[in-house]
Amino acid sequence: MSEHFEKKLTFDEYYKDYFLSQKYFFDFATKGAFLDIAELRNGSRKYCFEFKKLGSLPCPCCGKIMTTREELLSFIDNVKIKKGIELFDELEKYRPRLRGVELQIVKKLKNLAQKHNGKNLKELFILMYRNSIKQLENSQKKVIAKISKLSDGLEGETLKAVKKDIAFVSKLLRKRKHTQTFKRKTFIANFYKLMSEEKLERNKKILELIALKAKKLPTSGNSADAFVVKYHRRSIEEIAQRLLDASLASTEHIMPRSDGGVNDPSNYLVQCKFCNNERSSMNYKDWLKRHPEMRSNLQIYIDKVISLIIENKIKNHDFYPLVIKSTLLKESDGLLDVRVNRIFNYLKLKYLKK
């Protein structure tokens, strides 16, 4: 195997000999026999998984169509030159890929684009800003009021420190044109810092409740108003990129790198950036409790990949579905078992007859 690795064989060349040498290759494929080779093959961290470049590939987790880097660049170029209804029509093309906040933003833009047909994306964001800043501040004030009420139970210097922070934030929210802006992360971090230094158990418990409540403050990731406020001063390019960013195709390590997962296609799924970031290094048992839909969406992803391989639109990765089945079975303790009969039949015709 070390000799093969030194020659830097392609994915197919590396697995073909092993595949053909097994008398019972069906059994080996479904029981994870390829994983030992994958560890030897462990590729470069800079390896660019070619599947990310494939258009119309569904995310194996959420099922939404992912966006390639080329599609993103094309989208940005088109958005820069379009206004009003034409701009909305361009956004509408990508609507099935959007989720949550981004989807809400496109819905908001629809009415504005019809009323202001000569406005570009940035100008429409500026129009949305006036209403969004009011809505955002109202949401922030409600959370701050609940934090203030919780802080009444604190004692000593901790009470003074928390009340000082609350007073500072309240002042910022009252004066929109203040030179200092409200930093949510800093606000939350202060409570955790106080918690680490606190000696009174009662204060610690209250600070923990306050920190959890502070996390309810709106962000550009969960609030359309916060999104508009954050991006209304940004360039058209930045706004356009942010709208499609969550749908961008990214390389997901099935076995996380933090757990020793290899940098190799044998350990890769193409997954949208949103799902990839959310999972991080979570084990599949917990992940599937949060996203049970992955079982069916993963099969759709594998079926699509198999079709592309058979149609010769993906080259040098004939064995990918086979190897990925092994990796998924092992990493998920059998919870994720995809059907790969079509690729088995294809491989038998292509290789075993020879």
Side-chain angles (χ1 to χ4, degrees):
M1 288 303 170
S2 60
E3 183 182 341
H4 281 190
F5 182 70
E6 288 169 8
K7 289 180 180 177
K8 295 182 180 179
L9 302 179
T10 66
F11 187 83
D12 273 359
E13 288 171 333
Y14 208 94
Y15 286 98
K16 183 177 69 174
D17 291 341
Y18 184 82
F19 175 80
L20 295 176
S21 69
Q22 304 305 324
K23 185 177 180 182
Y24 303 105
F25 59 90
F26 278 90
D27 201 35
F28 278 91
T30 56
K31 291 184 178 178
F34 291 129
L35 294 175
D36 294 335
I37 306 179
E39 291 181 9
L40 285 172
R41 199 193 128 78
N42 190 3
S44 166
R45 281 192 167 197
K46 295 180 180 179
Y47 180 88
C48 178
F49 194 27
E50 294 174 26
F51 290 21
K52 289 197 299 183
K53 300 176 182 178
L54 298 171
S56 302
L57 197 63
C59 174
C61 180
C62 68
K64 286 183 175 286
I65 297 298
M66 294 181 283
T67 303
T68 66
R69 178 65 60 181
E70 290 73 21
E71 286 174 329
L72 175 61
L73 294 175
S74 175
F75 172 74
I76 293 171
D77 286 341
N78 288 334
V79 164
K80 281 194 299 186
I81 61 174
K82 293 189 176 180
K83 298 179 180 181
I85 299 300
E86 285 188 357
L87 170 62
F88 177 74
D89 289 342
E90 183 66 26
L91 295 171
E92 192 68 12
K93 291 177 188 176
Y94 291 85
R95 187 170 179 167
R97 308 180 188 210
L98 306 179
R99 68 192 76 216
V101 172
E102 294 85 1
L103 195 55
Q104 292 174 38
I105 294 295
V106 171
K107 288 178 181 177
K108 283 175 176 283
L109 286 169
K110 181 177 182 179
N111 293 329
L112 277 176
Q114 290 172 336
K115 291 179 183 177
H116 306 277
N117 200 31
K119 301 285 187 183
N120 63 29
L121 184 61
K122 181 178 174 64
E123 290 167 339
L124 292 176
F125 259 69
I126 292 171
L127 288 174
M128 287 194 289
Y129 172 76
R130 182 174 295 179
N131 184 59
S132 290
I133 187 65
K134 290 178 182 177
Q135 295 294 335
L136 177 61
E137 287 175 356
N138 288 335
S139 300
Q140 290 171 332
K141 285 174 182 176
K142 287 177 183 178
V143 176
I144 298 299
K146 290 177 181 179
I147 290 173
S148 183
K149 191 173 181 179
L150 282 171
S151 69
D152 291 338
L154 294 169
E155 299 176 14
E157 293 300 316
T158 304
L159 173 62
K160 292 179 182 178
V162 172
K163 288 295 185 183
K164 185 179 178 181
D165 280 348
I166 292 171
F168 176 71
V169 170
S170 298
K171 183 180 179 181
L172 290 180
L173 296 180
R174 283 197 307 270
K175 297 184 177 182
R176 262 187 270 164
K177 293 183 180 180
H178 199 281
T179 53
Q180 290 175 289
T181 55
F182 172 43
K183 298 291 184 182
R184 178 181 176 275
K185 287 183 180 179
T186 305
F187 186 60
I188 296 170
N190 285 342
F191 296 128
Y192 281 107
K193 183 182 178 184
L194 287 170
M195 204 188 310
S196 66
E197 298 169 351
E198 184 55 60
K199 294 180 181 179
L200 287 176
E201 196 60 36
R202 174 183 167 80
N203 278 358
K204 276 188 177 181
K205 289 180 179 179
I206 294 173
L207 284 169
E208 186 176 2
L209 290 173
I210 288 173
L212 290 171
K213 184 61 68 177
K215 287 182 178 179
K216 299 285 185 182
L217 285 163
T219 70
S220 60
N222 61 30
S223 163
D225 292 317
F227 188 105
V228 172
V229 171
K230 180 176 181 178
Y231 285 93
H232 79 284
R233 290 183 180 175
R234 305 287 181 90
S235 66
I236 293 178
E237 291 87 347
E238 286 179 284
I239 297 171
Q241 179 163 340
R242 177 63 179 79
L243 285 171
L244 279 188
D245 191 58
S247 70
L248 199 61
S250 65
T251 303
E252 157 81 350
H253 287 70
I254 296 171
M255 179 186 288
R257 281 185 294 181
S258 57
D259 294 336
V262 296
N263 294 295
D264 189 81
S266 57
N267 190 41
Y268 290 161
L269 288 176
V270 180
Q271 197 160 280
C272 75
K273 193 174 176 180
F274 183 90
C275 293
N276 196 346
N277 289 342
E278 187 185 351
R279 185 200 166 204
S280 186
S281 58
M282 189 184 297
N283 66 66
Y284 275 114
K285 185 177 180 181
D286 293 333
W287 181 248
L288 288 170
K289 286 179 182 177
R290 185 181 294 186
H291 292 283
E293 71 277 10
M294 182 174 182
R295 286 186 174 89
S296 56
N297 289 333
L298 177 63
Q299 187 63 57
I300 294 170
Y301 167 85
I302 291 294
D303 288 343
K304 177 70 173 179
V305 168
I306 290 173
S307 294
L308 291 170
I309 290 171
I310 292 172
E311 293 165 13
N312 204 30
K313 292 179 180 177
I314 298 177
K315 301 182 186 298
N316 299 318
H317 283 83
D318 288 353
F319 295 90
Y320 172 78
L322 213 70
V323 179
I324 234 58
K325 178 184 175 78
S326 299
T327 309
L328 286 164
L329 276 171
K330 182 175 180 180
E331 185 60 20
S332 70
D333 292 328
L335 293 173
L336 291 172
D337 187 9
V338 291
R339 298 182 302 277
V340 290
N341 293 343
R342 276 204 304 147
I343 201 69
F344 273 128
N345 294 332
Y346 173 77
L347 292 171
K348 284 194 294 181
L349 288 170
K350 184 172 181 178
Y351 292 103
L352 294 185
K353 281 191 174 183
K354 295 179 182 179

